[in-house]
Amino acid sequence: MRHGTTSIGDALREYMNKSRMKPRFTEVRIQENWEKIMGKTIARYTQSVKLIEHKLIITTTVAPLKQELTYSKDKIIKLVNELLGENIVKEVMIC
């Protein structure tokens, strides 16, 4: 590339990092990969996964799953942040 030019990919990444839409895109990436991160069974019984101000909010009506997810909060944070390639998720809440 010539001096002073950037690739389209780099320009888009820079734009996304500065955009107000980044948190929403991050949430969608987590939702789309939830089954890959947690497995089919957990994904099937999870009603919603939302990201609000560095908190991952997981909703399920299955009591044993709530308890299992509660014990696995640190693991969930690690897996999601690995998927994203950055430390976005700081806390997990199970509802």
Side-chain angles (χ1 to χ4, degrees):
M1 299 217 169
R2 286 183 257 154
H3 180 65
T5 61
T6 60
S7 71
I8 292 174
D10 290 340
L12 285 172
R13 269 188 286 285
E14 185 177 335
Y15 171 77
M16 287 305 302
N17 284 333
K18 293 178 181 178
S19 172
R20 294 182 317 175
M21 297 184 298
K22 184 180 179 184
R24 178 66 182 128
F25 282 123
T26 303
E27 179 179 82
V28 170
R29 280 185 61 201
I30 294 169
Q31 292 168 346
E32 288 178 345
N33 290 289
W34 187 243
E35 183 176 314
K36 180 180 171 185
I37 296 167
M38 298 304 295
K40 285 185 178 187
T41 305
I42 291 174
R44 184 179 317 135
Y45 293 107
T46 303
Q47 276 69 44
S48 70
V49 178
K50 296 182 181 184
L51 182 65
I52 301 172
E53 296 180 9
H54 302 286
K55 293 179 189 172
L56 188 66
I57 302 168
I58 305 166
T59 305
T60 183
T61 58
V62 181
L65 179 58
K66 280 184 182 183
Q67 188 168 8
E68 182 179 338
L69 292 173
T70 299
Y71 292 131
S72 303
K73 286 181 178 182
D74 291 335
K75 180 182 175 187
I76 294 168
I77 292 170
K78 181 181 176 224
L79 290 171
V80 171
N81 285 335
E82 282 178 4
L83 169 88
L84 298 173
E86 54 186 315
N87 289 328
I88 299 287
V89 178
K90 308 285 186 203
E91 184 180 345
V92 173
M93 294 177 60
I94 312 299
C95 301

